Amino acid sequence: MPVDYREEDRILFEEELDDFIPDRVFDAHCHLFWNDCMLPDVEYLPRTEARISDLLEWGEAIFPSRRMNFLVLGLPRVGTDVRKHNAALGEEMKKDPASRSNLLVTPPCDVKDIEADIDEHGFIGLKPYRIFSSTGDINNCRIHEFLPHEQMELANDRGLWVTMHLSRAQGCGDAENLADLTEYTTKRYPNIKWILAHCARSFTYYPIQVAIDTLKDLPNIWYDLSAVTTLPPFITLFQKENLKRLFYGSDGIDSAYFHGKYVTFGRYWYQVYPDDAGFSFAHTDARPVLCIYEQLLAMKQAAEVAGLSKDDIEGIFWRNAHYALEIPYDA
Ligand SMILES: [Zn+2]
Protein backbone atom coordinates (compact mmCIF):
# COMPACT_ATOMS: atom_id res chain seq x y z
CA MET A 1 0.00 0.00 0.00
CA PRO A 2 1.65 3.29 -1.06
CA VAL A 3 2.24 5.76 1.75
CA ASP A 4 0.76 9.16 0.86
CA TYR A 5 2.84 11.40 3.12
CA ARG A 6 3.03 15.04 2.09
CA GLU A 7 5.15 18.07 2.80
CA GLU A 8 2.36 19.61 4.92
CA ASP A 9 2.35 16.45 7.04
CA ARG A 10 6.08 16.70 7.60
CA ILE A 11 5.94 20.37 8.54
CA LEU A 12 3.10 19.85 10.99
CA PHE A 13 4.79 16.84 12.57
CA GLU A 14 8.10 18.61 13.03
CA GLU A 15 6.63 21.84 14.37
CA GLU A 16 3.74 20.53 16.49
CA LEU A 17 3.93 16.81 17.19
CA ASP A 18 7.52 15.62 17.30
CA ASP A 19 7.96 16.69 20.94
CA PHE A 20 4.65 15.15 21.95
CA ILE A 21 5.20 11.60 20.66
CA PRO A 22 7.35 9.35 22.88
CA ASP A 23 10.04 7.13 21.42
CA ARG A 24 7.81 4.09 21.54
CA VAL A 25 4.21 3.74 20.33
CA PHE A 26 1.74 0.90 20.81
CA ASP A 27 -1.22 1.20 18.44
CA ALA A 28 -4.08 -0.66 20.14
CA HIS A 29 -6.52 -0.40 17.22
CA CYS A 30 -5.52 -1.19 13.67
CA HIS A 31 -6.63 -3.58 10.97
CA LEU A 32 -5.14 -6.08 8.53
CA PHE A 33 -6.92 -7.33 5.43
CA TRP A 34 -6.55 -9.97 2.73
CA ASN A 35 -8.81 -10.10 -0.35
CA ASP A 36 -8.46 -13.87 -0.68
CA CYS A 37 -10.17 -14.36 2.70
CA MET A 38 -13.57 -13.49 1.30
CA LEU A 39 -16.03 -16.34 0.67
CA PRO A 40 -15.89 -17.48 -2.96
CA ASP A 41 -19.59 -16.96 -3.65
CA VAL A 42 -19.91 -13.35 -2.44
CA GLU A 43 -19.65 -10.30 -4.61
CA TYR A 44 -17.43 -7.62 -3.19
CA LEU A 45 -15.17 -4.84 -4.32
CA PRO A 46 -11.53 -5.85 -3.78
CA ARG A 47 -9.76 -3.39 -1.52
CA THR A 48 -6.19 -2.52 -0.70
CA GLU A 49 -4.61 -5.26 1.34
CA ALA A 50 -2.87 -4.48 4.60
CA ARG A 51 -0.18 -6.50 6.35
CA ILE A 52 2.17 -5.90 9.27
CA SER A 53 4.79 -4.58 6.84
CA ASP A 54 2.28 -1.92 5.69
CA LEU A 55 1.57 -0.89 9.27
CA LEU A 56 5.29 -0.58 9.90
CA GLU A 57 5.86 1.39 6.70
CA TRP A 58 3.10 3.84 7.64
CA GLY A 59 4.39 3.89 11.21
CA GLU A 60 7.85 4.95 10.05
CA ALA A 61 6.34 7.78 7.97
CA ILE A 62 4.00 9.03 10.67
CA PHE A 63 6.24 8.52 13.71
CA PRO A 64 9.79 8.62 12.34
CA SER A 65 12.31 6.59 14.36
CA ARG A 66 9.80 5.40 16.95
CA ARG A 67 9.47 1.73 17.75
CA MET A 68 5.94 0.60 16.89
CA ASN A 69 3.90 -2.43 17.91
CA PHE A 70 0.23 -3.16 17.57
CA LEU A 71 -2.97 -4.72 18.81
CA VAL A 72 -4.27 -5.87 15.45
CA LEU A 73 -7.93 -6.54 14.73
CA GLY A 74 -9.42 -8.42 11.84
CA LEU A 75 -11.15 -6.25 9.30
CA PRO A 76 -14.89 -6.73 9.03
CA ARG A 77 -16.63 -7.20 5.73
CA VAL A 78 -19.87 -8.97 5.20
CA GLY A 79 -18.99 -12.12 3.26
CA THR A 80 -15.65 -12.75 4.99
CA ASP A 81 -14.52 -16.36 5.40
CA VAL A 82 -14.01 -15.75 9.10
CA ARG A 83 -11.82 -18.75 9.92
CA LYS A 84 -9.61 -18.19 6.89
CA HIS A 85 -9.27 -14.51 7.76
CA ASN A 86 -8.36 -15.40 11.36
CA ALA A 87 -5.84 -18.01 10.22
CA ALA A 88 -4.17 -15.39 7.99
CA LEU A 89 -4.15 -12.94 10.91
CA GLY A 90 -2.68 -15.54 13.25
CA GLU A 91 0.09 -16.41 10.76
CA GLU A 92 0.89 -12.76 10.12
CA MET A 93 1.19 -11.99 13.83
CA LYS A 94 4.05 -14.49 14.21
CA LYS A 95 6.25 -11.88 12.52
CA ASP A 96 6.01 -9.50 15.48
CA PRO A 97 6.41 -10.94 19.01
CA ALA A 98 5.64 -7.60 20.71
CA SER A 99 2.29 -7.24 18.97
CA ARG A 100 -0.99 -8.96 19.78
CA SER A 101 -4.29 -9.63 17.99
CA ASN A 102 -7.99 -10.13 18.59
CA LEU A 103 -9.78 -12.54 16.31
CA LEU A 104 -12.82 -11.63 14.25
CA VAL A 105 -16.05 -13.11 15.62
CA THR A 106 -19.57 -12.99 14.20
CA PRO A 107 -22.77 -14.30 15.84
CA PRO A 108 -22.79 -17.60 13.88
CA CYS A 109 -19.20 -18.46 14.95
CA ASP A 110 -19.07 -21.68 16.95
CA VAL A 111 -17.35 -21.27 20.32
CA LYS A 112 -15.41 -24.50 19.72
CA ASP A 113 -13.94 -23.01 16.52
CA ILE A 114 -13.12 -19.78 18.36
CA GLU A 115 -11.35 -21.75 21.08
CA ALA A 116 -9.43 -23.79 18.52
CA ASP A 117 -8.31 -20.60 16.74
CA ILE A 118 -7.24 -19.03 20.03
CA ASP A 119 -5.25 -22.11 21.00
CA GLU A 120 -3.60 -22.38 17.62
CA HIS A 121 -2.74 -18.72 17.08
CA GLY A 122 -2.51 -17.16 20.53
CA PHE A 123 -5.18 -14.49 20.05
CA ILE A 124 -5.73 -12.53 23.24
CA GLY A 125 -9.27 -11.39 22.58
CA LEU A 126 -12.33 -11.10 20.39
CA LYS A 127 -13.34 -8.46 17.87
CA PRO A 128 -17.08 -8.50 17.24
CA TYR A 129 -18.67 -6.00 14.86
CA ARG A 130 -22.10 -4.47 14.80
CA ILE A 131 -22.29 -4.99 11.01
CA PHE A 132 -22.87 -8.69 11.72
CA SER A 133 -25.74 -8.04 14.17
CA SER A 134 -28.15 -10.95 14.36
CA THR A 135 -31.03 -8.44 14.30
CA GLY A 136 -29.98 -6.97 10.98
CA ASP A 137 -30.14 -3.49 12.53
CA ILE A 138 -26.48 -2.52 12.61
CA ASN A 139 -27.15 0.97 13.99
CA ASN A 140 -29.24 0.04 17.00
CA CYS A 141 -28.06 -3.33 18.20
CA ARG A 142 -27.26 -4.20 21.78
CA ILE A 143 -23.97 -5.88 22.66
CA HIS A 144 -25.42 -9.41 22.92
CA GLU A 145 -26.93 -9.06 19.45
CA PHE A 146 -23.51 -8.99 17.82
CA LEU A 147 -21.53 -10.75 20.56
CA PRO A 148 -23.80 -13.61 21.68
CA HIS A 149 -23.87 -14.74 25.29
CA GLU A 150 -22.11 -18.04 24.56
CA GLN A 151 -19.17 -16.09 23.12
CA MET A 152 -19.16 -13.79 26.16
CA GLU A 153 -19.18 -16.89 28.38
CA LEU A 154 -16.10 -18.16 26.57
CA ALA A 155 -14.43 -14.75 26.91
CA ASN A 156 -15.28 -14.74 30.60
CA ASP A 157 -14.00 -18.28 31.16
CA ARG A 158 -10.70 -17.48 29.50
CA GLY A 159 -10.31 -13.87 30.66
CA LEU A 160 -10.21 -12.55 27.10
CA TRP A 161 -10.11 -8.99 25.85
CA VAL A 162 -13.00 -7.69 23.76
CA THR A 163 -12.49 -4.63 21.57
CA MET A 164 -15.97 -3.18 21.44
CA HIS A 165 -17.17 -0.54 18.99
CA LEU A 166 -20.53 0.18 20.57
CA SER A 167 -23.63 0.47 18.43
CA ARG A 168 -26.83 2.48 19.07
CA ALA A 169 -27.36 6.17 18.35
CA GLN A 170 -25.52 7.52 21.36
CA GLY A 171 -22.81 4.84 21.71
CA CYS A 172 -21.62 4.81 25.31
CA GLY A 173 -24.22 7.43 26.19
CA ASP A 174 -27.03 4.98 25.45
CA ALA A 175 -28.91 3.81 28.55
CA GLU A 176 -29.12 0.17 27.40
CA ASN A 177 -25.42 0.02 26.52
CA LEU A 178 -24.53 1.44 29.92
CA ALA A 179 -26.85 -0.99 31.68
CA ASP A 180 -25.39 -3.92 29.71
CA LEU A 181 -21.79 -2.89 30.44
CA THR A 182 -22.65 -2.45 34.11
CA GLU A 183 -24.26 -5.89 34.32
CA TYR A 184 -21.49 -7.64 32.37
CA THR A 185 -18.54 -6.08 34.19
CA THR A 186 -19.93 -6.22 37.71
CA LYS A 187 -22.06 -9.39 37.68
CA ARG A 188 -22.35 -11.65 34.71
CA TYR A 189 -18.90 -11.64 33.02
CA PRO A 190 -16.43 -10.22 35.54
CA ASN A 191 -13.39 -11.65 33.75
CA ILE A 192 -13.93 -10.05 30.35
CA LYS A 193 -11.61 -7.11 29.73
CA TRP A 194 -13.30 -4.52 27.53
CA ILE A 195 -11.55 -2.01 25.29
CA LEU A 196 -14.19 0.51 24.30
CA ALA A 197 -13.08 1.65 20.86
CA HIS A 198 -13.06 5.27 19.69
CA CYS A 199 -13.28 6.83 23.20
CA ALA A 200 -16.19 4.45 23.90
CA ARG A 201 -17.62 5.46 20.51
CA SER A 202 -17.80 9.09 21.42
CA PHE A 203 -16.76 10.99 18.31
CA THR A 204 -18.73 13.93 19.70
CA TYR A 205 -18.90 15.20 23.28
CA TYR A 206 -22.42 14.05 24.15
CA PRO A 207 -21.98 10.26 24.60
CA ILE A 208 -18.93 10.43 26.87
CA GLN A 209 -20.37 13.40 28.73
CA VAL A 210 -23.39 11.23 29.61
CA ALA A 211 -21.42 8.04 30.26
CA ILE A 212 -18.22 8.99 32.01
CA ASP A 213 -19.52 9.03 35.58
CA THR A 214 -20.82 5.48 35.14
CA LEU A 215 -17.93 4.07 33.09
CA LYS A 216 -15.18 5.41 35.36
CA ASP A 217 -16.52 3.33 38.26
CA LEU A 218 -16.85 0.06 36.32
CA PRO A 219 -14.10 -2.55 36.57
CA ASN A 220 -12.33 -4.01 33.54
CA ILE A 221 -12.98 -1.09 31.22
CA TRP A 222 -10.27 0.38 28.99
CA TYR A 223 -10.54 2.72 26.01
CA ASP A 224 -8.74 3.14 22.73
CA LEU A 225 -8.50 6.70 21.47
CA SER A 226 -8.61 5.83 17.76
CA ALA A 227 -10.18 7.97 15.03
CA VAL A 228 -11.56 10.68 17.30
CA THR A 229 -10.40 14.09 16.10
CA THR A 230 -12.39 16.42 18.37
CA LEU A 231 -11.20 17.80 21.69
CA PRO A 232 -14.08 17.20 24.16
CA PRO A 233 -13.94 13.37 24.37
CA PHE A 234 -10.20 13.52 25.09
CA ILE A 235 -10.52 16.28 27.67
CA THR A 236 -13.28 14.30 29.41
CA LEU A 237 -11.24 11.08 29.52
CA PHE A 238 -8.03 12.87 30.53
CA GLN A 239 -9.75 14.73 33.36
CA LYS A 240 -12.16 12.13 34.66
CA GLU A 241 -10.88 8.62 33.86
CA ASN A 242 -8.01 6.68 35.35
CA LEU A 243 -5.33 7.50 32.77
CA LYS A 244 -3.96 3.96 32.99
CA ARG A 245 -7.14 2.76 31.27
CA LEU A 246 -6.38 4.76 28.10
CA PHE A 247 -4.59 3.25 25.10
CA TYR A 248 -3.48 5.12 21.99
CA GLY A 249 -4.99 3.64 18.82
CA SER A 250 -5.20 4.83 15.22
CA ASP A 251 -7.80 2.76 13.33
CA GLY A 252 -5.23 2.56 10.53
CA ILE A 253 -4.81 1.97 7.77
CA ASP A 254 -7.90 3.00 5.79
CA SER A 255 -9.83 4.79 8.51
CA ALA A 256 -7.02 7.01 9.75
CA TYR A 257 -4.25 7.44 7.20
CA PHE A 258 -6.13 9.64 4.74
CA HIS A 259 -5.92 13.40 4.32
CA GLY A 260 -8.94 14.79 6.11
CA LYS A 261 -10.64 14.11 9.41
CA TYR A 262 -13.80 13.16 11.26
CA VAL A 263 -15.82 16.34 11.48
CA THR A 264 -18.73 16.67 13.88
CA PHE A 265 -22.05 18.19 12.89
CA GLY A 266 -24.10 18.44 16.06
CA ARG A 267 -24.31 14.85 17.30
CA TYR A 268 -23.26 13.44 13.94
CA TRP A 269 -19.74 12.93 12.67
CA TYR A 270 -18.52 12.34 9.17
CA GLN A 271 -15.32 11.39 7.41
CA VAL A 272 -14.42 14.42 5.29
CA TYR A 273 -11.94 14.07 2.41
CA PRO A 274 -10.82 17.57 1.39
CA ASP A 275 -9.01 16.18 -1.68
CA ASP A 276 -12.40 15.27 -3.16
CA ALA A 277 -14.48 18.09 -1.72
CA GLY A 278 -13.60 20.85 -4.15
CA PHE A 279 -12.71 23.26 -1.35
CA SER A 280 -11.07 26.49 -2.41
CA PHE A 281 -8.11 27.48 -0.32
CA ALA A 282 -7.27 31.03 0.71
CA HIS A 283 -5.27 32.94 3.32
CA THR A 284 -2.43 30.44 3.66
CA ASP A 285 -0.37 27.85 1.86
CA ALA A 286 -1.22 25.32 4.57
CA ARG A 287 -3.14 22.29 3.35
CA PRO A 288 -5.03 19.41 4.98
CA VAL A 289 -2.97 16.83 6.84
CA LEU A 290 -3.44 13.17 7.69
CA CYS A 291 -6.43 12.29 9.86
CA ILE A 292 -4.12 10.60 12.35
CA TYR A 293 -2.32 13.93 12.81
CA GLU A 294 -5.68 15.63 13.45
CA GLN A 295 -6.28 13.03 16.19
CA LEU A 296 -2.82 13.59 17.66
CA LEU A 297 -3.26 17.38 17.62
CA ALA A 298 -6.56 17.00 19.49
CA MET A 299 -4.92 14.64 21.98
CA LYS A 300 -2.05 17.08 22.49
CA GLN A 301 -4.34 20.05 23.02
CA ALA A 302 -6.51 18.04 25.44
CA ALA A 303 -3.39 16.92 27.31
CA GLU A 304 -2.44 20.59 27.71
CA VAL A 305 -5.92 21.49 29.00
CA ALA A 306 -5.94 18.55 31.40
CA GLY A 307 -2.35 19.18 32.52
CA LEU A 308 -1.02 15.70 31.70
CA SER A 309 2.64 15.03 32.43
CA LYS A 310 5.16 13.57 30.00
CA ASP A 311 4.89 10.36 32.00
CA ASP A 312 1.08 10.28 31.60
CA ILE A 313 1.46 10.77 27.86
CA GLU A 314 4.04 8.01 27.59
CA GLY A 315 1.61 5.76 29.44
CA ILE A 316 -1.15 6.46 26.96
CA PHE A 317 1.12 5.93 23.97
CA TRP A 318 2.49 2.55 25.00
CA ARG A 319 3.11 1.72 28.66
CA ASN A 320 -0.53 1.28 29.72
CA ALA A 321 -1.15 -1.20 26.92
CA HIS A 322 2.10 -3.07 27.55
CA TYR A 323 1.19 -3.43 31.21
CA ALA A 324 -2.45 -4.39 30.67
CA LEU A 325 -1.75 -6.79 27.78
CA GLU A 326 1.25 -8.21 29.64
CA ILE A 327 3.79 -7.57 26.87
CA PRO A 328 7.38 -7.60 28.13
CA TYR A 329 9.29 -4.37 27.51
CA ASP A 330 11.92 -6.09 25.40
CA ALA A 331 9.63 -8.58 23.60
ZN1 LIG B 1 -11.47 -0.06 13.54
Short mmCIF file of all heavy atoms in Angstrom, two decimals, residues 29 31 73 127 129 165 198 226 251 255, ligand 1:
data_model
loop_
_atom_site.label_atom_id
_atom_site.label_comp_id
_atom_site.label_asym_id
_atom_site.label_seq_id
_atom_site.Cartn_x
_atom_site.Cartn_y
_atom_site.Cartn_z
N HIS A 29 -5.35 -0.22 18.10
CA HIS A 29 -6.52 -0.40 17.22
C HIS A 29 -6.11 -0.19 15.78
O HIS A 29 -6.02 0.94 15.30
CB HIS A 29 -7.64 0.59 17.61
CG HIS A 29 -8.92 0.37 16.86
ND1 HIS A 29 -10.15 0.40 17.49
CD2 HIS A 29 -9.18 0.12 15.55
CE1 HIS A 29 -11.10 0.17 16.59
NE2 HIS A 29 -10.53 0.01 15.40
N HIS A 31 -6.01 -2.47 11.69
CA HIS A 31 -6.63 -3.58 10.97
C HIS A 31 -5.71 -4.13 9.87
O HIS A 31 -5.00 -3.37 9.23
CB HIS A 31 -7.92 -3.10 10.29
CG HIS A 31 -8.96 -2.63 11.25
ND1 HIS A 31 -9.82 -3.48 11.88
CD2 HIS A 31 -9.27 -1.39 11.70
CE1 HIS A 31 -10.63 -2.80 12.67
NE2 HIS A 31 -10.32 -1.53 12.59
N LEU A 73 -6.57 -6.00 14.78
CA LEU A 73 -7.93 -6.54 14.73
C LEU A 73 -8.20 -6.99 13.31
O LEU A 73 -7.70 -6.38 12.36
CB LEU A 73 -8.93 -5.45 15.13
CG LEU A 73 -8.52 -4.64 16.37
CD1 LEU A 73 -9.40 -3.41 16.52
CD2 LEU A 73 -8.61 -5.51 17.62
N LYS A 127 -12.93 -9.71 18.49
CA LYS A 127 -13.34 -8.46 17.87
C LYS A 127 -14.68 -8.69 17.17
O LYS A 127 -14.73 -9.15 16.02
CB LYS A 127 -12.29 -7.97 16.87
CG LYS A 127 -12.67 -6.63 16.24
CD LYS A 127 -12.73 -5.51 17.26
CE LYS A 127 -13.20 -4.17 16.70
NZ LYS A 127 -14.66 -3.97 16.83
N TYR A 129 -18.31 -7.22 15.59
CA TYR A 129 -18.67 -6.00 14.86
C TYR A 129 -20.17 -5.90 14.72
O TYR A 129 -20.84 -6.88 14.38
CB TYR A 129 -18.07 -6.00 13.45
CG TYR A 129 -16.59 -5.75 13.43
CD1 TYR A 129 -15.70 -6.81 13.39
CD2 TYR A 129 -16.08 -4.46 13.47
CE1 TYR A 129 -14.32 -6.59 13.38
CE2 TYR A 129 -14.71 -4.24 13.45
CZ TYR A 129 -13.85 -5.30 13.41
OH TYR A 129 -12.50 -5.07 13.39
N HIS A 165 -16.66 -1.78 19.59
CA HIS A 165 -17.17 -0.54 18.99
C HIS A 165 -18.68 -0.58 19.22
O HIS A 165 -19.39 -1.34 18.58
CB HIS A 165 -16.82 -0.54 17.49
CG HIS A 165 -17.37 0.61 16.71
ND1 HIS A 165 -16.70 1.18 15.67
CD2 HIS A 165 -18.54 1.28 16.79
CE1 HIS A 165 -17.43 2.16 15.15
NE2 HIS A 165 -18.56 2.24 15.81
N HIS A 198 -12.71 3.89 20.08
CA HIS A 198 -13.06 5.27 19.69
C HIS A 198 -13.60 6.07 20.89
O HIS A 198 -14.71 6.61 20.83
CB HIS A 198 -14.08 5.28 18.54
CG HIS A 198 -13.80 4.30 17.45
ND1 HIS A 198 -12.61 4.31 16.74
CD2 HIS A 198 -14.52 3.26 16.93
CE1 HIS A 198 -12.63 3.32 15.85
NE2 HIS A 198 -13.76 2.67 15.95
N SER A 226 -8.74 5.79 19.21
CA SER A 226 -8.61 5.83 17.76
C SER A 226 -9.72 6.63 17.08
O SER A 226 -10.88 6.60 17.47
CB SER A 226 -8.63 4.41 17.21
OG SER A 226 -9.85 3.77 17.46
N ASP A 251 -6.84 3.26 14.31
CA ASP A 251 -7.80 2.76 13.33
C ASP A 251 -7.21 2.73 11.93
O ASP A 251 -7.93 2.73 10.95
CB ASP A 251 -9.13 3.53 13.34
CG ASP A 251 -10.31 2.64 12.95
OD1 ASP A 251 -10.12 1.42 12.78
OD2 ASP A 251 -11.43 3.17 12.81
N SER A 255 -8.95 3.85 7.81
CA SER A 255 -9.83 4.79 8.51
C SER A 255 -9.09 5.91 9.21
O SER A 255 -9.70 6.69 9.93
CB SER A 255 -10.67 4.02 9.54
OG SER A 255 -11.40 3.01 8.89
ZN ZN B 1 -11.47 -0.06 13.54
#
